[in-house]
Amino acid sequence: QVQLVESGGGLVQSGGSLRLSCASSGRSFSNYAMGWFRRAPEKEREFVAAISRSGGYTSYTDSVKGRFTISRDNFENAVYLQMNSLKPEDTGVYYCAAKLNNRDDYFTSPRDYTYWGQGTQVTVSS
């Protein structure tokens, strides 16, 4: 079935940038809405960003608006999260998620997603 492989996490200083990538092994990547979620230490998993299957519609949690950008390349079967102006509170494990959809919707609840990546650690030092 669909497998999501993430990369790009690491250690960065406050104010720096990271670009996370999520490659999908799915046969019909363009039919999946995609999302990014994160779990900070001792906190619950939270929504970060989502993108519709065409890439035409996106959504962000308020705390990352203007700093993070989600994008996708359906030819490369990949979704990306460009993170700029990183803050220590952005620290956490970031997860890529996919949901099969036959409409051009996006989803912001983890309960909506069927497939998940392994998670990649992002650490922002102060």
Side-chain angles (χ1 to χ4, degrees), residues 71-97:
S71 62
R72 67 189 295 159
D73 187 333
N74 288 346
F75 180 78
E76 297 290 338
N77 289 358
V79 63
Y80 308 95
L81 185 67
Q82 178 66 46
M83 305 184 294
N84 298 327
S85 302
L86 283 162
K87 306 174 181 179
E89 51 262 43
D90 293 318
T91 293
V93 179
Y94 283 68
Y95 301 89
C96 174

Side-chain angles (χ1 to χ4, degrees), residues 38-59:
R38 68 187 180 189
R39 182 181 61 80
E42 307 300 325
K43 292 183 171 61
E44 298 297 314
R45 184 177 302 189
E46 68 169 344
F47 166 73
V48 177
I51 189 166
S52 66
R53 69 183 209 171
S54 74
Y57 302 94
T58 60
S59 181

Side-chain angles (χ1 to χ4, degrees), residues 6 11 28 31 50 52-53 61 65 67 76 79 86 102 110 118 122:
E6 300 159 309
L11 175 65
S28 300
N31 291 329
S52 66
R53 69 183 209 171
T61 191
K65 287 180 179 176
R67 300 188 298 121
E76 297 290 338
V79 63
L86 283 162
N102 58 10
Q118 78 284 0
V122 171

